[in-house]
Amino acid sequence: YLAMKWPLPSSDVNWTEPTVTDLSWNLDSACAVADSDVYCWGENGYGQLGNGDTQRRYRPVKISAPSGLSFTEVDLGQDHTCALADNGSLWCWGSGSFNQLGIGPGLNAYIPNQVDFGAYNVSVSSIDLGPYNTCAIGTDTDTSNEQVWCWGYNSNRQTRLGTTSNIDLGNSLYNSPIYEANKFFKNR
């Protein structure tokens, strides 16, 4: 684990140094998970720092997440960010111009929004972001099947085969995993 001395306390505050457990950066923005909270800093032209505005930050700022969430992982695309909570929920914010946030077609978000997997009850265990797309590995809690989901920019079929359209999770044509491992056939 990394030990960072931020945000710097004023002299009259009792302050405990946070434990950083994950760190990610892309271009001019960076985020870290520290004591189960996400802090971001740098360029913020699309709200990718998740604090409700588009002002650049030179020091880490805690994202505006709903209370009660404990984050375990964070990743950045070019202009969007996603973080995984310990309850298996996935939260994304920033530019959604290619549907990479998983919250609706072309929507931007300046604060974290929970990814909507539609009719599937997905508990996410791992995430990875490309410049304009997002992928998640998770388990369908209704079937116990492991699944891979990807959405966002798709001009070269890098997110889903069979189309070059950008993938919107809210579109019923694409609201399904790109891979699913049946619990009965795993480890055979």
Side-chain angles (χ1 to χ4, degrees):
Y1 297 114
L2 300 172
M4 295 183 149
K5 295 182 185 319
W6 52 263
L8 296 176
S10 61
S11 60
D12 61 341
V13 174
N14 289 330
W15 185 71
T16 303
E17 186 174 292
T19 300
V20 176
T21 54
D22 193 35
L23 178 68
S24 182
W25 65 274
N26 191 314
L27 298 176
D28 298 328
S29 304
C31 294
V33 176
D35 293 342
S36 300
D37 290 316
V38 176
Y39 294 84
C40 297
W41 61 98
E43 180 57 45
N44 194 28
Y46 295 92
Q48 64 263 42
L49 301 186
N51 61 344
D53 62 36
T54 57
Q55 293 180 348
R56 180 179 293 127
R57 296 293 195 275
Y58 297 103
R59 298 173 73 167
V61 176
K62 187 176 174 182
I63 64 169
S64 299
S67 62
L69 289 175
S70 294
F71 291 98
T72 59
E73 187 177 346
V74 64
D75 200 7
L76 281 81
Q78 184 159 322
D79 297 317
H80 77 294
T81 306
C82 296
L84 175 60
D86 66 354
N87 65 1
S89 63
L90 180 57
W91 299 78
C92 296
W93 58 94
S95 173
S97 57
F98 297 103
N99 307 324
Q100 65 267 45
L101 300 183
I103 61 170
L107 297 176
N108 294 339
Y110 297 148
I111 61 172
N113 282 257
Q114 188 171 1
V115 172
D116 182 6
F117 290 97
Y120 291 85
N121 293 314
V122 180
S123 178
V124 177
S125 57
S126 181
I127 60 173
D128 197 26
L129 277 59
Y132 306 111
N133 39 24
T134 303
C135 289
I137 297 173
T139 302
D140 183 327
T141 57
D142 294 329
T143 65
S144 298
N145 291 349
E146 292 180 5
Q147 300 175 331
V148 176
W149 292 76
C150 292
W151 58 93
Y153 189 67
N154 195 45
S155 67
N156 296 309
R157 296 180 178 95
Q158 68 270 38
T159 303
R160 185 177 288 253
L161 297 175
T163 183
T164 55
S165 297
N166 295 332
I167 305 303
D168 169 23
L169 282 182
N171 182 330
S172 61
L173 290 174
Y174 306 119
N175 188 263
S176 60
I178 62 170
Y179 176 79
E180 186 165 12
N182 188 299
K183 65 180 178 180
F184 297 110
F185 296 105
K186 289 189 301 186
N187 301 322
R188 287 191 158 192

